[in-house]
Structure formats: C-alpha cells, structure tokens
Amino acid sequence: VHHRWPLHRFLHTFLGAGLLALVASVMILAASRLLAKTRFAPRLQPIPILFTALTATWSHVVLDSIVHSDARPFFPSGDANPFLSLVDAGRLHRGLIVLGVLGGAVWLIEVASRWRWSG
C-alpha cells in the first residue's frame, strides 16, 4: 500500500499467514453458524476449513518467496529465503496458469454433473 521496502512483510511469512488462516477460519465458521438458521445452511467442519486456509496462505508464501527477493518466509526465526529462484518466474507463472485452467475445468465438470443429476 505504501510502496515501502520490503513489500512482502508479516503476512508473507509462515507465521503471519498462519495467523491469517486461523482468523479467516474462525470468521467463516462464525458466518456459517449464523447462516445455519436459513435455507443456505452450509455444513462446515473446523478442521477442513483450517486445513484449506493454511494450504492457501502457506502456498502463497512459498510462491511469493520464489519470485520476490524481499520475502522472508521464516521470519521472525530467520531472514533466509531458501525458495528464492527455486523455479524460473516465467515457468512458475505458466505452470500456475495451466493448473488454474485444469482446476477450472474440473470444477465445471463437477458443477455440470451435479446440475445434470439434480435436474
């Protein structure tokens, strides 16, 4: 936001991302409890929600650490970034695009099969 170095600060560490995942999980579970009295009653369990949030935030830390020299994923226990340049940035971006397209295709197939069988 302020364009100050380093750009990738606390939330781009495993500790910060883990805390963010925990807060987000609590908020999602609280919202699902509020919706439980409506027809939109999701059946969410705490462990899968937390696992998903941790997977999302920690993978973001790793991916950003590969391409950003200012990332310090293990702060405060260390300033090392062993992920930096692990993969070429262009190759990483192309791989993420392929995975995004494949994930979207799997999701569309899942939605289509549910729609077909419920209709």
Side-chain angles (χ1 to χ4, degrees), residues 29-108:
L29 290 167
S32 74
R33 301 247 192 295
L34 289 173
L35 290 173
K37 297 177 178 107
T38 70
R39 66 183 183 104
F40 302 107
R43 294 182 185 179
L44 303 178
Q45 298 297 316
I47 299 301
I49 294 294
L50 182 59
F51 177 79
T52 301
L54 286 171
T55 301
T57 57
W58 286 348
S59 64
H60 184 95
V61 169
V62 171
L63 293 170
D64 267 8
S65 295
I66 290 172
V67 295
H68 296 289
S69 63
D70 64 325
R72 300 291 176 258
F74 296 103
F75 178 85
S77 54
D79 282 337
N81 181 358
F83 306 113
L84 185 62
S85 300
L86 194 62
V87 177
D88 173 67
R91 182 171 286 163
L92 177 67
H93 292 148
R94 287 188 297 275
L96 291 171
I97 289 168
V98 168
L99 289 173
V101 169
L102 288 173
V106 168
W107 178 77
L108 284 173

Side-chain angles (χ1 to χ4, degrees), residues 7-30:
L7 295 176
H8 298 85
R9 295 177 185 241
F10 184 66
L11 291 179
H12 285 82
T13 67
F14 288 112
L15 175 62
L19 292 173
L20 178 62
L22 182 62
V23 169
S25 297
V26 168
M27 291 173 63
I28 289 168
L29 290 167

